[in-house]
Amino acid sequence: MLLADYIMLGVIAVVVILGLVVGFSGGLKFFTSGIFGIVISVVVTYFLLGIVNSWQFVQDLLSKLNGMMGDLNPTLVNIIDQAILAVILFIIVQIVRIIIVKLIAGLFEIDNGFFKVINRILGIVVIAAVAVILGLLAFQIIYWVGGATAHDVAQALEGSVFKLDWLYENNPLRTLADYFTN
């Protein structure tokens, strides 16, 4: 076994312990509050903005807003109304995110044996998912750094029991990044 494999065993142990201690509700609250919650809301707002912008009543409201702005440059008017729409949608997404998280966390915090077991098992799943994402991001950053660093990491991972060498070479983030750059 390689040093990376022992580190992986340590990460697995930490993930299991954290998942059991924090549970799904605690992990959900942590990863959807603060800066994480804002980032989630920004991403959701970005994806919803095009959909909401295509609704007819939204277009009617934006037309009225454009009419109220009078003789301003049309490009500036378009930027202003899209910014206003994005801010309003962001506030709505924030409120909905908070409500959904409170409802789901409240459900998993029910003082019942079944829900306690499910909360702990799903806690391990949430913490494991975050650990995998962080690991893939670390591999992607090493790939971007490139050169001797990327080569040394690839050599250090060769023969890993957990197939970390394969994961490093076939990182889904790298494949996605290569897709968009080619």
Side-chain angles (χ1 to χ4, degrees), residues 128-143:
V130 170
V132 167
I133 290 170
L134 291 176
L136 290 175
L137 283 173
F139 282 168
Q140 184 64 29
I141 291 169
I142 293 167
Y143 173 74

Side-chain angles (χ1 to χ4, degrees), residues 74-138:
T75 304
L76 182 61
V77 169
N78 189 30
I79 291 170
I80 291 171
D81 68 10
Q82 291 302 306
I84 291 171
L85 179 62
V87 168
I88 291 170
L89 186 59
F90 175 77
I91 292 169
I92 292 169
V93 167
Q94 282 278 76
I95 292 168
V96 169
R97 178 187 55 82
I98 291 168
I99 291 170
I100 289 172
V101 168
K102 288 201 180 286
L103 287 174
I104 292 173
L107 175 70
F108 283 95
E109 290 175 343
I110 292 176
D111 193 19
N112 177 315
F114 174 75
F115 281 107
K116 285 182 178 182
V117 170
I118 295 298
N119 188 22
R120 302 300 181 217
I121 291 171
L122 290 178
I124 295 170
V125 171
V126 166
I127 302 295
V130 170
V132 167
I133 290 170
L134 291 176
L136 290 175
L137 283 173

Side-chain angles (χ1 to χ4, degrees), residues 1-162:
M1 279 183 51
L2 305 171
L3 175 62
D5 291 328
Y6 288 112
I7 293 172
M8 185 68 179
L9 284 173
V11 168
I12 291 170
V14 168
V15 162
V16 169
I17 291 168
L18 271 176
L20 290 173
V21 171
V22 174
F24 178 74
S25 59
L28 184 67
K29 287 178 190 175
F30 178 77
F31 291 115
T32 59
S33 64
I35 191 72
F36 295 121
I38 292 171
V39 169
I40 289 168
S41 294
V42 166
V43 170
V44 170
T45 299
Y46 173 77
F47 286 119
L48 288 179
L49 191 58
I51 296 169
V52 171
N53 206 5
S54 69
W55 294 345
Q56 186 59 45
F57 81 92
V58 171
Q59 288 300 314
D60 294 341
L61 289 172
L62 292 177
S63 295
K64 290 178 185 176
L65 179 63
N66 291 348
M68 291 174 21
M69 286 193 234
D71 295 335
L72 288 176
N73 182 340
T75 304
L76 182 61
V77 169
N78 189 30
I79 291 170
I80 291 171
D81 68 10
Q82 291 302 306
I84 291 171
L85 179 62
V87 168
I88 291 170
L89 186 59
F90 175 77
I91 292 169
I92 292 169
V93 167
Q94 282 278 76
I95 292 168
V96 169
R97 178 187 55 82
I98 291 168
I99 291 170
I100 289 172
V101 168
K102 288 201 180 286
L103 287 174
I104 292 173
L107 175 70
F108 283 95
E109 290 175 343
I110 292 176
D111 193 19
N112 177 315
F114 174 75
F115 281 107
K116 285 182 178 182
V117 170
I118 295 298
N119 188 22
R120 302 300 181 217
I121 291 171
L122 290 178
I124 295 170
V125 171
V126 166
I127 302 295
V130 170
V132 167
I133 290 170
L134 291 176
L136 290 175
L137 283 173
F139 282 168
Q140 184 64 29
I141 291 169
I142 293 167
Y143 173 74
W144 284 335
V145 169
T149 304
H151 180 70
D152 291 346
V153 168
Q155 278 187 328
L157 295 176
E158 282 182 20
S160 169
V161 172
F162 293 108

